[in-house]
Amino acid sequence: MTDEPLILWFRRDLRLADHPMLRAALATGRPLIPLFILDPETDGLGAAPKWRLGLSVEKFAQDLAAMGAHLTLRRGDALAVLEALIAETGAAGVMWQRMYDPAAKARDTAVKAALKARGLIAESHAGALLFEPWDVQTGAGSYYKVYTPFWRAVSGRDVPAPLPAPTEWRAPAAWPASDDLADWQMGAAMRRGAAVVLPYQHVGEAAALAQLDAFIGSRVEVYKQDRDFPAITGATSGLSENLAWGEIGPRTIWAAGQRAAHQGAAGAEHFLKELVWREFAYHLMHHAPQMLTENWREGWESFPWRGDNPDAERWRRGMTGEPFVDAAMREMYVTGRMHNRGRMIVASYLTKHLMTDWRIGQAWFAECLVDWDAAANAMGWQWVA
């Protein structure tokens, strides 16, 4: 063991269990300094996801405090913040869980190169996905572009059992100074909407695990037939917000779904397929990052999409006159989420009935969804359009 601490840079992985990076850090025996950075990429999130992230950071800080650890909050360019904290604490280096969107990969690559050039530890770890995107290949050595063969390729693979949460934490000699989360005003852009949406949030790791247990215990059996009907309360797991911010690990969900399947729950396989659909979105984003901003299907560059228009504004306001479309949009404004069937229908209405560019809808969802996820949002809109 050494007294030189490690900095654990948390991002969309605000949990203690099923966390490979955290377990690797604990295995070093070093003191650990958990850190969250409000860098430009994070500060640029839309109103609802940024507000929801703030709630998650607050809860994660409380979970760490219960273990005797202190979450340090800093604001600024990620590399500059990390270098300053290393200088303050004498840290031996930094560990983090991987992210896969182009902006995050560019940032993390630069951070790793700069730290390693100084002889410091700079390690990225898996944990956000069941399978790393580069580990799943077609027989020809390429990436999958269609979901069904992707599912067949991964459904029989072994997934490591989720790791337990730590019970001990080695603290540094002194905790570094931290920003006050309230000063960051993470929910400023929500204005009055925050009070409306708040009662529908299930924030933090304990809430996520309770959601999973309730779903597997009583609702997964009828998931296959009920999941496409938005009027049926509790037909889906409700875990999208927790997955988005890493309050629960995908291996934890996979293990619970597999147990239900082995016990004969009729809807368990379809539940697992939806989790792998998320994996497929990340697989595509890694191999074809242009899907975030450009048409996925070749030949659509010249399609005569309408730009922003009054019809699109009525769509945003939930005032199209189509009852289902308007109800689904209002669901998003009240709860911060939208049933998956609703998402497909409102996206179809915007792109196919109103002939409006899918990127306008994509950007609005990025502003309004508390479970916003770059890969899932882009793939959903591309799939419909």
Side-chain angles (χ1 to χ4, degrees), residues 54-55 57-59 73 178-186:
L55 299 181
V57 171
E58 180 180 31
K59 186 65 177 69
L73 306 178
S178 174
D179 290 355
D180 188 331
L181 182 61
D183 293 339
W184 286 359
Q185 294 289 298
M186 297 283 277

Side-chain angles (χ1 to χ4, degrees), residues 31-85:
L32 304 178
I33 300 173
L35 169 70
F36 184 86
I37 304 173
L38 185 62
D39 59 6
E41 291 83 1
T42 309
D43 206 14
L45 288 170
K50 185 176 177 181
W51 167 76
R52 178 59 177 79
L53 173 59
L55 299 181
S56 190
V57 171
E58 180 180 31
K59 186 65 177 69
F60 186 56
Q62 294 170 0
D63 292 344
L64 286 169
M67 294 187 60
H70 176 74
L71 180 63
T72 298
L73 306 178
R74 296 287 177 93
R75 186 173 195 164
D77 173 78
L79 178 58
V81 168
L82 290 167
E83 289 180 328
L85 192 57

Side-chain angles (χ1 to χ4, degrees), residues 228-231 320-331 338-339 341-346:
D228 285 334
F229 295 91
T320 67
E322 291 290 345
F324 193 106
V325 173
D326 294 344
M329 296 299 283
R330 289 195 297 270
E331 178 193 10
M338 188 187 297
H339 190 282
R341 179 61 57 177
R343 297 185 198 213
M344 288 192 284
I345 290 173
V346 301

Side-chain angles (χ1 to χ4, degrees), residues 3-324:
D3 289 334
E4 289 183 327
L6 280 173
I7 296 169
L8 306 187
W9 179 18
F10 288 92
R11 295 97 69 88
R12 283 179 170 248
D13 54 337
L14 301 172
R15 66 183 183 278
L16 296 172
D18 191 24
H19 206 310
M21 178 273 283
L22 179 54
R23 300 302 297 192
L26 289 163
T28 68
R30 294 176 181 271
L32 304 178
I33 300 173
L35 169 70
F36 184 86
I37 304 173
L38 185 62
D39 59 6
E41 291 83 1
T42 309
D43 206 14
L45 288 170
K50 185 176 177 181
W51 167 76
R52 178 59 177 79
L53 173 59
L55 299 181
S56 190
V57 171
E58 180 180 31
K59 186 65 177 69
F60 186 56
Q62 294 170 0
D63 292 344
L64 286 169
M67 294 187 60
H70 176 74
L71 180 63
T72 298
L73 306 178
R74 296 287 177 93
R75 186 173 195 164
D77 173 78
L79 178 58
V81 168
L82 290 167
E83 289 180 328
L85 192 57
I86 289 168
E88 292 173 31
T89 62
V94 186
M95 289 185 178
W96 61 87
Q97 179 180 280
R98 294 187 196 109
M99 295 176 66
Y100 303 90
D101 61 280
K105 287 199 291 187
R107 174 195 62 198
D108 295 354
T109 299
V111 167
K112 182 177 283 190
L115 296 182
K116 284 194 168 184
R118 294 177 50 188
L120 296 164
I121 296 169
E123 291 182 8
S124 61
H125 291 261
L129 300 172
L130 298 172
F131 317 101
E132 294 298 86
W134 48 85
D135 287 340
V136 183
Q137 295 183 338
T138 67
S142 182
Y143 70 97
Y144 285 93
K145 299 179 182 179
V146 179
Y147 170 75
T148 300
F150 180 85
W151 162 255
R152 287 198 295 263
V154 303
S155 59
R157 288 192 176 195
D158 289 332
V159 175
L163 297 163
T167 57
E168 298 180 356
W169 192 286
R170 188 179 178 205
W175 293 107
S178 174
D179 290 355
D180 188 331
L181 182 61
D183 293 339
W184 286 359
Q185 294 289 298
M186 297 283 277
M190 286 287 284
R191 298 191 291 269
R192 292 179 297 173
V196 175
V197 179
L198 181 61
Y200 297 92
Q201 307 310 296
H202 303 94
V203 180
E205 186 170 12
L209 293 172
Q211 282 279 104
L212 176 62
D213 288 346
F215 175 74
I216 294 296
S218 63
R219 302 196 299 272
V220 72
E221 176 68 33
V222 293
Y223 178 75
K224 181 180 179 180
Q225 64 262 34
D226 288 355
R227 65 192 177 96
D228 285 334
F229 295 91
I232 301 178
T233 302
T236 61
S237 72
L239 288 168
S240 60
E241 61 173 308
N242 309 108
L243 264 176
W245 307 112
E247 295 169 349
I248 191 169
R251 297 191 305 193
T252 298
I253 300 174
W254 180 265
Q258 286 281 16
R259 286 193 300 270
H262 292 155
Q263 292 166 5
E269 183 179 11
H270 273 75
F271 179 59
L272 293 171
K273 284 182 175 180
E274 293 302 318
L275 187 61
V276 172
W277 182 258
R278 173 180 179 267
E279 296 279 318
F280 183 53
Y282 276 82
H283 182 79
L284 290 181
M285 182 174 68
H286 171 76
H287 290 286
Q290 70 273 15
M291 69 178 277
L292 299 182
T293 56
E294 301 172 17
N295 290 305
W296 166 248
R297 290 281 297 273
E298 295 180 2
W300 282 72
E301 291 75 16
S302 60
F303 189 80
W305 297 112
R306 299 167 70 193
D308 209 344
N309 57 77
D311 290 332
E313 178 62 15
R314 284 189 284 273
W315 174 86
R316 280 191 289 261
R317 291 174 178 265
M319 298 174 66
T320 67
E322 291 290 345
F324 193 106

